[in-house]
Amino acid sequence: MTDTPEHANKPANMQWGGRFAGGPSAIMQDINASIGFDRKLWRQDIRGSRAHAAMLAKIGLLTPEDEHAITTGLEGIAQEIEAGTFAFDVALEDIHMNIEARLTDRIGEAGKRLHTARSRNDQVATDFRLWVRDAIDGLSAQISGTMLALAQRAALHAADPMPGFTHLQTAQPVTFGHHMLAYVEMLDRDRGRLADCRRRLNACPLGSAALAGTSFPIDRHMTAAALGFDRPTANSLDAVSDRDFAMEFLSAAAIGAVHLSRLAEEIVIWCSAPYRFIRLSDAFTTGSSIMPQKRNPDAAELVRAKTGRVTGALVALLIVMKGLPLAYAKDMQEDKEPVFDAAEAWALSLAATAGMVRDMTPDTVRMRSFAGSGFATATDLADWLVRVLRLPFRSAHHVTGRLVAMAEARGVDLAELSLADMQGVEQGITADIFSVLTVEASVASRTSYGGTAPANVAEQAARWLAVLA
């Protein structure tokens, strides 16, 4: 007695037609099926099928009765999925076949006519573009909400000094509002990248069929317009094999996640005991199982960590796509999970970031006390030497460096040196020098466009609030 292959007596997948006599092995079924994750595309799949059916009816490939039955059937399937009563079948592989099979169950022969003049290749390319486009619209709104939270915080603290850092060393005083607005600018670029991605992806692959187009007299401009696309794709080979839109989306997501991670890192630092610049409430912190005094900024830490998921998704898809010849290959089934996961992680990170920005309580007194530490007004001293004594900047830099060394050796700040001490280094210095050595004078003097002067910050915050509110 010979061994019988596991799949020998299984019926062929009914969607494949008569080509296969036997069904797939259990392993093949598991690796081949995507319904476990691509069911997320069900709304887009039903929307695309309705547009396709309307176009087929217009050109006479469907009767009005068939189109009505298909549309009504698809509406019923949508209700089933929404209600959680739809039975997804892994044997049908993907969302497209699950919906089509259920449609045929519901309306009979008319359901079998829906796939005329299309392939799963152009169908999934269309569904996926629609999903990414929807994700972009939702994420763009979230980014705007996070920008608004930052701009509101900036308006409240336009004149509150804090230390500005380079190399995480005290550099020059800035205002807390100015710091918040830096992230508004970053997130605005993230919005711009998503807008660019949306514009480029907004071409409709439907009607490209498997790879070569179709011999049916379809109206691709009609389906593109019905689905909100700007135009149909111009090359059928490219249309079914292109995943640039997904890679570009993930690239924008990775950069956006990095921006959130940078702010999250600063929140972690600002919450720490040595700094105590801000406090987060119980809403965005957790405690310790052993140390009762702890208040951990876990929301910020998790935002920081999720950057790894998002950037990993980008790398994963780049590697999937890097060696694929035209046109479609089943490798491309691995395109969706990274995009779904990254979009979810980014959305959650944006929500957490906006929440923390609104929740935080800045300690403006403590930030002010740190703003002048580390000889933060040394550049103001050098600028005064250039502006008042007309010293070349390099000479002024050298004089200032000597005065900093003197103050450091004595354990005092620059403003605590005497006029005689300063004149011993540069005899032209006058008592007016002390007017620029305060933190408030330092930030007020930075009036150049984009600078940290409180008036500048207030103006920029108001501009953003007008745009975002």
Side-chain angles (χ1 to χ4, degrees):
M1 178 176 171
T2 58
D3 290 335
T4 301
E6 181 184 355
H7 63 277
N9 296 319
K10 291 185 178 180
N13 184 322
M14 68 179 187
Q15 307 298 333
W16 293 351
R19 171 63 179 85
F20 290 84
S25 71
I27 294 173
M28 180 61 195
Q29 183 170 280
D30 286 346
I31 197 171
N32 193 50
S34 59
I35 190 60
F37 53 85
D38 71 13
R39 66 178 64 187
K40 286 180 180 287
L41 299 174
W42 70 265
R43 290 183 179 84
Q44 292 76 22
D45 195 74
I46 288 175
R47 186 179 174 192
S49 289
R50 292 183 64 175
H52 187 65
M55 183 275 295
L56 292 178
K58 179 195 171 189
I59 66 172
L61 289 177
L62 285 180
T63 65
E65 294 76 19
D66 282 349
E67 183 200 357
H68 177 73
I70 288 170
T71 299
T72 303
L74 290 171
E75 289 173 353
I77 290 170
Q79 291 170 4
E80 289 178 6
I81 298 175
E82 287 277 16
T85 60
F86 187 93
F88 292 100
D89 185 353
V90 71
L92 293 172
E93 298 182 14
D94 56 37
I95 188 62
H96 323 297
M97 291 306 189
N98 269 265
I99 289 175
E100 184 177 324
R102 179 61 180 139
L103 181 66
T104 302
D105 287 344
R106 289 177 66 106
I107 68 172
E109 199 71 15
K112 297 179 181 181
R113 301 185 189 279
L114 177 59
H115 207 53
T116 305
R118 73 176 184 184
S119 160
R120 281 191 295 178
N121 294 355
D122 61 337
Q123 191 177 357
V124 70
T126 303
D127 292 357
F128 198 19
R129 284 184 189 234
L130 288 171
W131 193 94
V132 171
R133 193 177 71 185
D134 290 343
I136 285 173
D137 292 344
L139 286 161
S140 295
Q142 273 198 276
I143 292 171
S144 295
T146 307
M147 292 169 65
L148 178 60
L150 289 161
Q152 289 169 335
R153 181 64 68 185
L156 286 173
H157 300 285
D160 289 325
M162 70 173 292
F165 298 97
T166 61
H167 309 276
L168 208 55
Q169 304 297 310
T170 302
Q172 293 176 258
V174 296
T175 72
F176 189 59
H178 194 58
H179 202 110
M180 293 292 98
L181 287 179
Y183 285 101
V184 175
E185 296 291 333
M186 290 186 202
L187 267 61
D188 187 47
R189 293 194 294 274
D190 295 330
R191 277 197 317 182
R193 273 181 281 271
L194 285 181
D196 289 343
C197 178
R198 194 188 197 282
R199 176 176 55 81
R200 269 184 288 275
L201 75 76
N202 210 34
C204 183
L206 199 58
S208 298
L211 75 163
T214 178
S215 59
F216 293 103
I218 60 174
D219 186 346
R220 295 191 61 211
H221 288 84
M222 177 183 174
T223 49
L227 294 171
F229 288 106
D230 296 329
R231 59 201 176 279
T233 52
N235 183 284
S236 59
L237 277 169
D238 178 58
V240 299
S241 60
D242 169 37
R243 293 298 184 271
D244 287 5
F245 65 92
M247 292 185 286
E248 186 173 1
F249 171 75
L250 289 177
S251 178
I255 296 171
V258 166
H259 289 157
L260 298 182
S261 181
R262 295 182 73 179
L263 177 55
E265 169 68 4
E266 296 200 301
I267 289 173
V268 171
I269 292 171
W270 295 342
C271 284
S272 66
Y275 284 85
R276 298 198 309 278
F277 285 177
I278 65 170
R279 185 181 186 276
L280 293 174
S281 77
D282 294 350
F284 290 94
T285 57
T286 65
S288 167
S289 63
I290 190 172
M291 295 170 284
Q293 83 282 7
K294 294 291 293 298
R295 181 188 291 274
N296 300 320
D298 282 4
E301 292 173 7
L302 288 166
V303 168
R304 188 175 60 187
K306 284 187 183 297
T307 305
R309 295 176 71 119
V310 179
T311 56
L314 171 61
V315 173
L317 185 54
L318 289 170
I319 292 172
V320 166
M321 296 299 299
K322 73 174 183 64
L324 298 187
L326 296 179
Y328 182 83
K330 202 59 179 274
D331 310 52
M332 292 162 68
Q333 186 166 288
E334 295 295 319
D335 59 358
K336 295 166 200 66
E337 286 184 283
V339 171
F340 295 159
D341 186 68
E344 182 179 345
W346 193 11
L348 184 56
S349 296
L350 282 163
T353 301
M356 286 187 290
V357 170
R358 292 190 175 98
D359 180 75
M360 66 173 61
T361 303
D363 187 334
T364 55
V365 173
R366 187 167 177 82
M367 284 194 289
R368 165 63 182 81
S369 70
F370 272 69
S373 66
F375 311 106
T377 58
T379 304
D380 299 278
L381 193 156
D383 288 348
W384 185 91
L385 294 172
V386 172
R387 186 172 57 253
V388 177
L389 301 187
R390 303 294 184 183
L391 293 184
F393 181 79
R394 285 301 170 202
S395 298
H397 187 282
H398 179 74
V399 169
T400 303
R402 290 181 61 191
L403 291 172
V404 167
M406 179 187 296
E408 187 173 40
R410 297 181 183 180
V412 299
D413 202 1
L414 284 171
E416 296 176 284
L417 292 175
S418 69
L419 179 60
D421 290 333
M422 294 190 181
Q423 289 175 335
V425 175
E426 170 51 58
Q427 61 181 5
I429 292 175
T430 68
D432 181 60
I433 191 69
F434 294 101
S435 68
V436 302
L437 296 182
T438 66
V439 166
E440 286 73 17
S442 177
V443 296
S445 71
R446 307 297 168 184
T447 56
S448 59
Y449 183 78
T452 193
N456 285 9
V457 176
E459 181 181 355
Q460 290 289 346
R463 177 178 70 84
W464 278 116
L465 290 173
V467 170
L468 296 166

